[in-house]
Amino acid sequence: MNLVGDTALSLTNISMRRLTLCRPHSEVWFVFPDRIGRRLQRSGLLLPSLVFAGFWVVADGFLCAQIEMIPYGQIGSGSLNSSSSSGTPGATTVAPSTVQGQVINASTGAPVPRALVRLNTRAVLTDHDGKFRFDQNTESSANVIVTKPGFWASTEMQDPGNLFLQSAQMGVPLELRLYPEAVLTGTVAAPDGTPLSRVAVSAVRSFYDVTGHRWLNAGQTQTDSHGNFRLPVQAGEYRLETRYMPMDRTIDQAVLPVTLPAETSSNTSQVIRVHSGEEQHFELRPGVSQTHTVTLTAPSADGRGFARISARSSDGSTLQVNQQTVGGDAGTTKIQLPQGTYALTAMRNNPEGPEQAEATVTVPDHDISGVVLQFSPVPSIPVELIVQPSSDSDANQPPQVPQLGLTLESNQPDPERGDQTIRVTTRRDQSFVFTAPPGSYHLEGRNTGVWYVKSASYGDSDLLRQDLVVVPGAAGTPIRVTVSDQTGSLTGTVSLNGSPGACWVYLIPTGPSAQSVIQLRSGSSGSYTAAHLPPGSYQAVAFEQRHSVNFRDATSLAPFSTHVQTVTVNAGDKPTLNLNAVPVAEVAP
C-alpha cells in the first residue's frame, strides 16, 4: 500500500459518506490531507467551505474513491472518523466488535481474492484466501455487499445482492458468494460462410416477477470484423437474437433476423440455459437476400402517416422496416422487403385512438405496388368495477380501477422481445379501457389495500381461469372485475440455517387468482405478515435471496420440496406459518 501526502491515516477510521467514483487506474492508495484539500479548493474543484478527505481502493483495474466532504475547522489530527456517522438509518451503536468472513466462488467453492467488500460505509479488499475483516464495528445492523469485475453478486437481474444483517448475524464468520459471469460467444455468418461484421446481437433473458413473464434485454454487442461476438451475462435462461439489417455493406444484401433457439409453432418455450462460469458457443446463420420496393397505400389517411410497420415472415421472424413517404402523401409509403411472403401489420394514431391494419403480401424478384392497407380501430375493451364489501367495511374506501394494477399479458411472442403488457387507460369521460390488438391474453392484477380481485369475466369467459381472446372489431363487451375486502392474513417467522433472518417469502395461490404469486420480505428478526390476503390455499416457500421463476410450474419448486409448505386462509382467519428458508448455497447458480 502506498500513501501519498503528508499524513498517513488509519483507513479503518475514515468515515466515507455515500459518494463513490470509479474509473480504471493502476494500483495505488491515496489519502488526501487538509493541505491538498485547500489546493483543490483554490482550483475550484471543491466548495468554498469544504475540504476533501478520502481514499481510493483498487480492485482488479477499478479505482473506487470514497469521499467525505468536511467543513474546515472540523478536521483534527489523526482520525477523520465522525462520531455521529452511522452506516444505516436509525442504526444504534454497540460495543466494538469484529466482522469477518470469506468470499467464495459460488460455482467452485474456491476463495475469491481481491474482492471489494462493503460494510455500510466501510470497505476492504479480500486477501489471497478470500478473507476479510472489519475491526471496531460499532453498529447493530449492516448492509453488506461484495463486488469484483467478472462476477455478479446475485443470479437475479433486479437483485443487487445486498445482505442486511443484525448484530447476532455479524457475530459469526460470514460466507459471501460471488457468481462468475457466464459467457455466450459465437459467430454470425452468411449462409455461404462469409463473416458478417457490425451485426447487433442481443442476449434476451426469460424473466418472471409478480406481474408475470417477460423477456428482458440482458446484453447487446456487435460482431467484429470476423463476425465474432461475446456477451457476458448472469446465469439464467436466454435467447440470442439479431435484428433485421436492410443492407449490409459486406455483402450488399439485407441480413434477415435470426433467433436461437428458433421459434416453432408447436413450442416457443425453448431457451438457452447457461450456468455461472460456463461458456457456450453458437453459430448464427441468418438468411441474406436482395430487397425490393413494396408500395403501400391506405385509404382515408387524412394526413396521418404510419407510426410503425412490421413484417412477419413465414418462418416466424419479424422485420421492423423503415418507411418512406411518397411525394408528401401520408397515405402512400414505400418499404424494402426481401423476396418471400409476409404478414404486414401497420399501426397509426388518430384523435379517437390507435388504428391497425393487416395484409398479406408476396414479394417476387422485383418491385411491387398496389398493396392496400385497410385500417380499423384497435379494439377498446371497457373495464367495469363491481364492489362486494363486507358488512362491516363502511370505512374501507373502494378502490379505483388503476389501483388494481390490471394488465393484459400477451400469450404471443413479442417480435421485439419487449414488454408485451397492455395497461388500463382512462378515457376523457373517466371510463377505463384496455386497447388491445387482436390476440390472446391472460389477465393479471394485484391486491390494493384491503381489496383484492375476487373474479373477472368477459362475456361467458372466466378470466381467472381462461385466456381473453380479442378478435378484430371487438368492442362493447366489458371486462367485469369484482373486488372484495373479505380477506384473511398470514403471519410467521422465517429461519435461515436455524436462525431468524431477512428472506424473501413467496405465496403461490393454488386456485384461480389474478396474482400469480404474492411476494414479501421478512424483517431482520425473521417475522413476516401478509395482511389482507385473499381467501384460498397457498404454497409457501422462502429463499435467502430473491428467486424469480415461474412458480406456477410445479417443476420450479421440485428441488426445494422440503422447504415448501401448504396453508389455507379463510376470510377473517389469521393463521401462523413458520418457514425454513432455502439457503443460497442450495440454489444452483
Side-chain angles (χ1 to χ4, degrees), residues 187-197 199 242 248 250-258 283-290 315 338:
T187 302
V188 181
D192 64 0
T194 302
L196 299 176
S197 62
V199 174
T242 66
D248 181 83
T250 305
I251 57 176
D252 291 329
Q253 297 185 87
V255 179
L256 305 183
V258 64
E283 299 293 330
L284 303 183
R285 294 292 183 265
V288 297
S289 174
Q290 297 291 338
D315 66 0

Side-chain angles (χ1 to χ4, degrees), residues 156-168:
E156 298 295 330
M157 288 190 67
Q158 300 181 350
D159 186 358
N162 300 55
L163 293 178
F164 300 95
L165 305 177
Q166 297 299 304
S167 56

Side-chain angles (χ1 to χ4, degrees), residues 102-222:
Q102 185 181 36
V103 178
I104 65 169
N105 183 315
S107 296
T108 65
V112 180
R114 302 192 61 75
L116 183 65
V117 183
R118 292 185 177 89
L119 178 78
N120 292 336
T121 58
R122 301 170 64 185
V124 296
L125 288 169
T126 58
D127 63 18
H128 66 280
D129 291 322
K131 294 182 179 180
F132 62 91
R133 180 186 180 98
F134 294 94
D135 291 321
Q136 297 297 312
N137 174 63
T138 58
E139 298 189 68
S140 61
S141 61
N143 175 17
V144 179
I145 190 167
V146 56
T147 56
K148 182 181 172 79
F151 290 81
W152 301 89
S154 169
T155 59
E156 298 295 330
M157 288 190 67
Q158 300 181 350
D159 186 358
N162 300 55
L163 293 178
F164 300 95
L165 305 177
Q166 297 299 304
S167 56
Q169 296 168 300
M170 293 185 286
V172 297
L174 304 176
E175 183 180 86
L176 307 181
R177 303 168 72 85
L178 281 176
Y179 299 83
E181 63 187 14
V183 182
L184 304 176
T185 65
T187 302
V188 181
D192 64 0
T194 302
L196 299 176
S197 62
R198 297 186 299 278
V199 174
V201 183
S202 299
V204 190
R205 185 172 181 179
S206 176
F207 179 76
Y208 289 89
D209 61 10
V210 293
T211 65
H213 179 251
R214 291 178 287 165
W215 289 96
L216 299 180
N217 194 330
Q220 181 171 311
T221 189
Q222 280 193 336

Side-chain angles (χ1 to χ4, degrees), residues 193-383:
T194 302
L196 299 176
S197 62
R198 297 186 299 278
V199 174
V201 183
S202 299
V204 190
R205 185 172 181 179
S206 176
F207 179 76
Y208 289 89
D209 61 10
V210 293
T211 65
H213 179 251
R214 291 178 287 165
W215 289 96
L216 299 180
N217 194 330
Q220 181 171 311
T221 189
Q222 280 193 336
T223 56
D224 62 17
S225 59
H226 302 288
N228 298 321
F229 67 88
R230 183 182 187 275
L231 282 165
V233 296
Q234 292 171 292
E237 298 182 340
Y238 293 88
R239 281 181 172 147
L240 286 174
E241 296 180 347
T242 66
R243 289 177 176 264
Y244 173 57
M245 296 178 61
M247 180 58 64
D248 181 83
R249 297 177 183 177
T250 305
I251 57 176
D252 291 329
Q253 297 185 87
V255 179
L256 305 183
V258 64
T259 299
L260 192 72
E263 295 178 0
T264 65
S265 58
S266 59
N267 185 0
T268 60
S269 62
Q270 298 183 33
V271 292
I272 297 168
R273 292 179 176 87
V274 61
H275 300 283
S276 291
E278 181 182 12
E279 180 174 328
Q280 294 189 30
H281 186 86
F282 303 91
E283 299 293 330
L284 303 183
R285 294 292 183 265
V288 297
S289 174
Q290 297 291 338
T291 61
H292 306 282
T293 299
V294 178
T295 302
L296 310 173
T297 60
S300 304
D302 296 332
R304 295 187 298 272
F306 305 148
R308 186 185 68 181
I309 299 177
S310 62
R312 191 170 184 86
S313 65
S314 55
D315 66 0
S317 60
T318 299
L319 288 60
Q320 293 294 335
V321 297
N322 298 322
Q323 49 187 303
Q324 179 182 0
T325 302
V326 178
D329 181 4
T332 303
T333 191
K334 290 183 177 181
I335 61 175
Q336 300 291 322
L337 286 176
Q339 188 173 347
T341 298
Y342 302 90
L344 298 181
T345 301
M347 298 288 294
R348 72 182 185 189
N349 297 313
N350 67 36
E352 289 73 37
E355 295 180 326
Q356 178 176 296
E358 295 182 342
T360 300
V361 59
T362 298
V363 181
D365 57 357
H366 55 79
D367 298 347
I368 63 171
S369 60
V371 179
V372 179
L373 296 176
Q374 298 289 348
F375 279 87
S376 59
V378 175
S380 293
I381 303 172
V383 179

Side-chain angles (χ1 to χ4, degrees), residues 329-518:
D329 181 4
T332 303
T333 191
K334 290 183 177 181
I335 61 175
Q336 300 291 322
L337 286 176
Q339 188 173 347
T341 298
Y342 302 90
L344 298 181
T345 301
M347 298 288 294
R348 72 182 185 189
N349 297 313
N350 67 36
E352 289 73 37
E355 295 180 326
Q356 178 176 296
E358 295 182 342
T360 300
V361 59
T362 298
V363 181
D365 57 357
H366 55 79
D367 298 347
I368 63 171
S369 60
V371 179
V372 179
L373 296 176
Q374 298 289 348
F375 279 87
S376 59
V378 175
S380 293
I381 303 172
V383 179
E384 296 180 357
L385 187 65
I386 301 172
V387 178
Q388 285 189 354
S390 60
S391 57
D392 57 350
S393 64
D394 293 339
N396 295 332
Q397 181 69 29
Q400 297 295 317
V401 168
Q403 294 175 288
L404 298 172
L406 298 174
T407 60
L408 294 179
E409 306 291 334
S410 176
N411 294 328
Q412 292 82 35
D414 179 19
E416 295 297 310
R417 293 290 181 273
D419 188 353
Q420 274 291 85
T421 298
I422 298 175
R423 293 174 172 81
V424 170
T425 58
T426 306
R427 284 182 160 175
R428 295 177 182 176
D429 62 0
Q430 299 304 304
S431 63
F432 303 98
V433 298
F434 281 118
T435 303
S440 175
Y441 303 87
H442 61 274
L443 180 72
E444 295 276 354
R446 65 168 180 261
N447 304 338
T448 175
V450 301
W451 301 91
Y452 76 97
V453 176
K454 182 178 181 180
S455 66
S457 62
Y458 180 71
D460 295 331
S461 299
D462 181 353
L463 296 185
L464 299 189
R465 299 176 182 269
Q466 301 168 282
D467 290 335
L468 169 67
V469 179
V470 180
V471 299
T477 302
I479 294 176
R480 291 189 169 90
V481 178
T482 301
V483 297
S484 172
D485 61 354
Q486 301 178 52
T487 61
S489 64
L490 181 67
T491 61
T493 300
V494 180
S495 295
L496 176 64
N497 298 322
S499 299
C503 298
W504 292 95
V505 178
Y506 298 92
L507 304 176
I508 304 103
T510 59
S513 175
Q515 197 164 347
S516 58
V517 60
I518 296 172

